[in-house]
Amino acid sequence: MTAEEAVGRIRSGMTVGIGGWGSRRKPMALVRALLRSDVTDLTVVSFGGPDVGLLAAAGKIRRLVTAFATLDSIPLEPHFRAARERGEIELTELDEAMMMWGLTAAVHRLPFLPVRAGLGSDVMTVNPSLRTVTSPYEDGEELVAVPALRLDVALVHLNRADAQGNGQYLGPDPYFDDLFCEAAAEAYLSCERVVGTAEFADAGRPQTLLVKRHAVTGVIETPQGAHFTSCAPDYGRDEAFQSAYAKAAADPEAWREFTERFLSGDEERYRAAVAAFGKEGV
Amino acid sequence: MTGGVTRAEYCVVACAEAWRGDGEILAAPMGAVPRVGARLARLTFAPELLLTDGEAMIVGGDPEVVEGWLPYRAHLAMVTGGRRHVMMGASQLDRHGNQNITCVGDWKRPRRQLLGVRGAPVNTLNNPTSYWVPRHSRRVFVERVDMVCGVGYDRAAAVGPAARFHDLRCVVTDLAVLDFATPDHTLRVRSLHPGVTAEAVREATGFPLDIADHVPYTREPTPAELRLIREVIDPAGAREREVPS
């Protein structure tokens, strides 16, 4: 299916999980499709990067569930920062481990999982709905009960997929994309290239087959679909473009120009504008 | 050869010392100087340490080769298993060791949004934690942090038995090495970097700080250590960009 068709399945007010990590293998083409849609009022669950930044800049996030937002080589995500400082998004700030176990709880259809993380920290203060649970065994330890992070929709990007929804990552880290897909009612998997199932074996060992088709609703072929985040080994992060993004984000006029140039057309126009930007050698 | 030791090089050695005696655990340095320090420790007095490439690979040997795989999900297991000693940054740090990297001002609507809580809560409740502060100032060392991300000793004490793995080891700054080896686990100066006075550290700290009269200086790097820092580990001088001479 197309990115537009995938995003067409998302309704305003839904809880959307976004795979990848920081500025690494984010489903940016699907995020750009979301920007072009009129979907809004979203609860976004993400290990935050420019996906969060772009959606925040477009005013599409009502509530964000995350442990951080970063561009990696640029420590602070500028649009996330601005949105927070203007008080525009509701934040559910969880520790990284709480995020992982919250998704895992949803995958296993459990109401919560116990973690030590969070105790004593202000994560407990800023999330007054968080509860603790006491071990029924002799240790009697009191732990945080991280609630399941159930998702209406998951969006992830992998290196390869077949048409049935089996997904293969070829980089060094799977991140948590399989958890996002399995924690969601519907998952949309974009990939650099759709291949025949028999071709998986040429690219990597069976353990690279991260996402299984039973957890995927639709497959979208989007070459450069993680741009400008990294998608190793197909390509690294576009640092020059990311710098331009961060610089533009700091100034409303520059951001209007950036939006006009890169985000006002479809994905094909985006790729053409990025190619032109690359030739400028800025 | 020690005459021209830079402040950044004292900081590297002080960071390396943080991992002395840790044994076969993962050293997880954040920041350029801690990264150089962790590699220095492994190349000298702490050869058993595990180190990553900053992404998903464990690199060992000399010259370095991939010896293991540690994607984020496995890294989080390493944290909770406790066989790891992390050195994190701190936008704010108080005298009990509470650390903040999330925001400055009211969390509900921050004056300045920073990174977010990241893994500071899971780190501090599960494995030994140290801090690296490249610019020791009153903006960092504050009476009260605006949000507790990394858990300090007062907060850990209130948690009870579930905080039994809480262990803050040291704080290395561009001025001094500090630790929590006081009866009430509050910050004190363990050593001053050569050329730094106790007054300068007090002046740069936003709360009363315990500094003994005859507090030692941070130890000198050996000639072998200096050669490793300058020629092998950090020939491009990343350390000097973090702590300018």
Side-chain angles (χ1 to χ4, degrees):
Chain A
M1 62 168 60
T2 66
E4 276 65 28
E5 285 168 338
V7 162
R9 306 283 292 267
I10 302 175
R11 300 277 161 262
S12 293
M14 278 186 167
T15 297
V16 178
I18 303 178
W21 174 285
S23 191
R24 305 172 199 207
R25 220 181 65 230
K26 284 285 176 179
M28 297 297 278
L30 296 179
V31 169
R32 287 187 283 271
L34 257 181
L35 296 180
R36 292 192 291 272
S37 77
D38 55 9
V39 171
T40 188
D41 195 35
L42 297 173
T43 291
V44 171
V45 180
S46 173
F47 293 98
D51 54 328
V52 164
L54 282 168
L55 292 171
K60 291 190 178 292
I61 304 179
R62 181 179 60 79
R63 185 164 76 95
L64 175 66
V65 182
T66 195
F68 59 83
T70 180
L71 299 175
D72 290 309
S73 52
I74 299 171
L76 305 183
E77 211 307 318
H79 285 306
F80 165 69
R81 233 180 83 193
R84 279 280 287 151
E85 290 169 11
R86 287 197 295 262
E88 286 171 356
I89 49 175
E90 198 184 311
L91 181 63
T92 297
E93 186 164 5
L94 301 175
D95 173 271
E96 288 169 12
M98 297 168 93
M99 291 276 292
M100 179 175 83
W101 290 112
L103 289 168
T104 305
V107 170
H108 293 257
R109 300 191 296 185
L110 292 168
F112 69 89
L113 278 170
V115 298
R116 197 172 285 112
L119 293 168
S121 81
D122 278 338
V123 164
M124 305 305 288
T125 320
V126 302
N127 295 293
S129 64
L130 278 178
R131 295 286 176 268
T132 59
V133 61
T134 303
S135 164
Y137 300 106
E138 61 221 43
D139 54 271
E141 192 167 343
E142 192 182 4
L143 299 159
V144 179
V146 178
L149 292 172
R150 290 185 203 90
L151 310 172
D152 295 314
V153 175
L155 306 176
V156 302
H157 184 80
L158 295 180
N159 302 89
R160 306 283 178 270
D162 66 12
Q164 291 73 46
N166 295 301
Q168 183 177 38
Y169 80 106
L170 298 172
D173 198 317
Y175 310 119
F176 299 93
D177 289 357
D178 50 338
L179 298 185
F180 277 98
C181 291
E182 291 175 37
E186 297 192 352
Y188 296 93
L189 190 174
S190 65
C191 63
E192 290 300 311
R193 199 148 56 79
V194 173
V195 297
T197 310
E199 291 174 63
F200 283 139
D202 298 333
R205 295 268 171 184
Q207 56 269 37
T208 60
L209 296 167
L210 180 68
V211 174
K212 290 145 210 38
R213 60 187 165 84
H214 75 283
V216 172
T217 316
V219 175
I220 306 100
E221 187 174 52
T222 59
Q224 298 285 310
H227 183 271
F228 49 92
T229 69
S230 66
C231 189
D234 291 314
Y235 46 90
R237 186 178 303 126
D238 186 341
E239 296 288 359
F241 190 90
Q242 176 163 286
S243 294
Y245 162 83
K247 207 170 149 202
D251 171 63
E253 184 51 38
W255 183 247
R256 263 192 297 280
E257 283 169 25
F258 186 94
T259 305
E260 175 59 35
R261 182 172 178 188
F262 296 107
L263 301 173
S264 57
D266 60 11
E267 188 67 11
E268 202 176 327
R269 210 179 125 192
Y270 175 81
R271 283 201 297 269
V274 168
F277 172 86
K279 290 204 183 83
E280 286 168 18
V282 185
Chain B
M1 194 166 172
T2 56
V5 178
T6 65
R7 182 63 57 78
E9 287 161 348
Y10 283 113
C11 292
V12 164
V13 170
C15 287
E17 286 290 339
W19 286 287
R20 187 185 283 274
D22 276 355
E24 200 162 26
I25 57 114
L26 179 76
M30 297 179 190
V33 166
R35 274 198 297 276
V36 178
R39 281 194 61 197
L40 179 67
R42 198 182 57 188
L43 284 170
T44 54
F45 53 79
E48 292 173 315
L49 288 176
L50 282 73
L51 287 174
T52 75
D53 62 354
E55 299 224 1
M57 298 301 159
I58 300 176
V59 286
D62 179 18
E64 291 190 332
V65 290
V66 172
E67 64 170 340
W69 183 48
L70 198 70
Y72 283 121
R73 59 183 72 188
H75 204 137
L76 280 168
M78 201 101 156
V79 173
T80 44
R83 299 187 66 81
R84 175 180 184 261
H85 177 174
V86 64
M87 184 175 278
M88 285 191 284
S91 304
Q92 294 178 328
L93 197 70
D94 73 19
R95 58 201 298 268
H96 299 285
N98 295 296
Q99 170 249 30
N100 175 20
I101 47 174
T102 279
C103 64
V104 178
D106 181 10
W107 179 87
K108 287 196 183 71
R109 186 169 176 181
R111 197 157 71 244
R112 192 167 158 75
Q113 173 67 41
L114 303 172
L115 193 54
V117 71
R118 282 219 67 154
V122 72
N123 285 341
T124 46
L125 264 266
N126 287 285
N127 63 197
T129 301
S130 293
Y131 292 106
W132 161 240
V133 177
R135 198 167 307 161
H136 193 133
S137 75
R138 285 171 178 260
R139 280 176 58 182
V140 176
F141 290 94
V142 293
E143 193 66 52
R144 280 176 79 93
V145 300
D146 291 331
M147 173 163 172
V148 176
C149 303
V151 175
Y153 276 101
D154 55 343
R155 290 290 196 101
V159 165
R164 66 192 179 280
F165 306 121
H166 178 264
D167 182 6
L168 303 185
R169 293 281 177 84
C170 67
V171 180
V172 180
T173 80
D174 59 335
L175 300 183
V177 181
L178 305 97
D179 62 25
F180 300 90
T182 49
D184 60 348
H185 287 302
T186 52
L187 209 57
R188 60 134 205 185
V189 171
R190 183 194 291 176
S191 71
L192 298 169
H193 300 331
V196 178
T197 64
E199 287 65 38
V201 176
R202 281 201 188 92
E203 184 57 37
T205 305
F207 48 81
L209 189 60
D210 191 8
I211 309 180
D213 287 341
H214 299 290
V215 68
Y217 283 114
T218 304
R219 80 163 171 87
E220 296 291 330
T222 66
E225 285 173 335
L226 274 182
R227 190 190 65 78
L228 284 169
I229 294 168
R230 292 172 182 174
E231 293 170 24
V232 178
I233 305 170
D234 187 29
R239 65 193 181 282
E240 300 288 332
R241 285 194 292 280
E242 207 163 72
V243 180
S245 297

